[in-house]
Amino acid sequence: MTTQPLKTAVPAPRRPRLRLPVGRAGLWLLVGLACFLSVIPFYLMFVWATLPSAEVFSVPPKFWFSDQLVGNFQKMMDATGGLALRHFWNSLYIAIMSTLTTLFFCSLAGFAFAMYDFRGKRFLFGFILLTMLIPPLVMDIPSFLVMNNFLQWVGEPRALWVPGMANAFGIFLMRQYIGSALPRQLVEAARIDGATEFGIYWRVVLPLIRPILATLGVVTFVGSWNNFKGALIMKLSDGPIMTLPLSLRKITGGATNINVDWGANLMMVVLTVLPLLILFLLASRQVISGLTSGAVKD
């Protein structure tokens, strides 16, 4: 009896896949469409700010610049009593001071919570986190009473940027980033080399946490720049102390006003949006780096 070798099933050869660039092309098309839809409102805002007020809502709409830029700027100045640039400076001053002080104190506190061990550290950090659960609306009346009765800062710009210099969100963000991005051995090595504690923070820590500084800086600047309610509560709504959001609301005249000079209004909108666009363009790379840091595990 002869034995025959077992026949093994040979898998059929796979047909080579036709790799067409349709998937990548479709992805790029989708991204391009999203970018176009994101940019076109800003483009139209700049275009319509140069149009006469009667042509802003014309049909078909205008898609190119006109020659009324100087005229609309003058109308904006007239509508604000010549104080539009002063209002711009007020908002810029408050936003810059709020951003710089928040970055300094929050990064300093975050460095302490991340790199030092002291009694009551967990309790104090937990208490700071608990304050994030308080709705901001609840703090409006107590903040006004403190500013009015104790500090007497109502009607002054510092009433908007001093209270938020060391906020819970900034401290938490800095503590988490420093604790994950900076090894303690680096701090110990700097201490052995003779650096002071503040020198370690200033020369070693700050240069290494630029992404998260940019992220918190952009968030703080935008929030302070657009702070309409805070400026209204602190009575920064008159004359030369008015901020730009309140000034924009004043020249608009309310949602039911049909006699709005849209040329001057859109010029004020451009003045309001332009610093935010410049800030994002300057800090976008650092912000993206800060948001994606730690997303990929080594």
Side-chain angles (χ1 to χ4, degrees):
M1 183 176 182
T2 60
T3 58
Q4 296 180 354
L6 297 176
K7 294 182 179 181
T8 58
V10 179
R14 294 183 177 179
R15 294 181 179 180
R17 289 185 177 181
L18 296 177
R19 295 187 176 180
L20 297 178
V22 177
R24 179 169 295 182
L27 180 61
W28 280 108
L29 182 62
L30 183 62
V31 172
L33 180 61
C35 292
F36 174 77
L37 294 177
S38 301
V39 171
I40 192 64
F42 294 98
Y43 172 76
L44 292 177
M45 176 188 66
F46 285 106
V47 170
W48 292 347
T50 65
L51 297 177
S53 182
E55 297 182 7
V56 172
F57 296 105
S58 61
V59 179
K62 305 288 185 179
F63 289 99
W64 193 243
F65 300 92
S66 181
D67 57 352
Q68 293 295 317
L69 177 64
V70 177
N72 288 338
F73 182 84
Q74 187 60 46
K75 291 179 181 178
M76 178 191 70
M77 296 296 292
D78 294 339
T80 57
L83 297 173
L85 296 182
R86 176 62 183 269
H87 300 162
F88 175 86
W89 164 249
N90 292 339
S91 291
L92 186 64
Y93 165 74
I94 294 171
I96 290 176
M97 292 301 299
S98 178
T99 302
L100 293 180
T101 54
T102 298
L103 291 180
F104 176 73
F105 288 106
C106 288
S107 60
L108 197 63
F111 170 64
F113 278 114
M115 293 297 171
Y116 291 94
D117 294 321
F118 51 89
R119 182 176 297 179
K121 171 182 173 180
R122 289 188 176 182
F123 172 79
L124 184 58
F125 187 69
F127 179 78
I128 291 175
L129 294 183
L130 284 176
T131 61
M132 297 175 64
L133 302 178
I134 302 175
L137 188 63
V138 177
M139 300 302 298
D140 289 342
I141 295 178
S143 298
F144 176 80
L145 292 177
V146 170
M147 292 296 168
N148 187 50
N149 298 336
F150 294 97
L151 300 177
Q152 297 181 354
W153 285 358
V154 172
E156 299 184 16
R158 55 183 173 177
L160 293 183
W161 59 265
V162 170
M165 289 192 301
N167 58 80
F169 172 75
I171 295 174
F172 170 74
L173 192 66
M174 288 294 174
R175 187 260 185 188
Q176 297 301 109
Y177 187 90
I178 294 174
S180 60
L182 268 70
R184 288 201 174 193
Q185 292 82 355
L186 186 64
V187 176
E188 294 294 338
R191 190 175 290 121
I192 292 173
D193 289 339
T196 62
E197 299 302 318
F198 186 80
I200 295 172
Y201 159 78
W202 190 259
R203 298 180 181 179
V204 178
V205 176
L206 284 186
L208 296 177
I209 62 172
R210 284 182 299 177
I212 202 63
L213 287 175
T215 303
L216 181 60
V218 169
V219 172
T220 305
F221 187 94
V222 173
S224 179
W225 181 264
N226 296 327
N227 189 2
F228 178 88
K229 184 183 68 173
L232 192 63
I233 292 175
M234 295 302 167
K235 298 183 178 180
L236 299 177
S237 56
D238 266 332
I241 64 172
M242 186 182 295
T243 58
L244 203 57
L246 295 179
S247 182
L248 177 60
R249 174 64 175 78
K250 183 177 180 180
I251 71 170
T252 302
T256 59
N257 188 8
I258 61 175
N259 298 318
V260 178
D261 190 331
W262 289 106
N265 193 8
L266 286 169
M267 181 58 63
M268 179 71 83
V269 172
V270 169
L271 195 65
T272 305
V273 173
L274 192 59
L276 302 181
L277 293 178
I278 295 174
L279 176 66
F280 179 77
L281 291 176
L282 294 177
S284 60
R285 181 174 299 180
Q286 294 292 337
V287 170
I288 294 173
S289 176
L291 292 176
T292 58
S293 178
V296 179
K297 187 175 181 180
D298 295 334

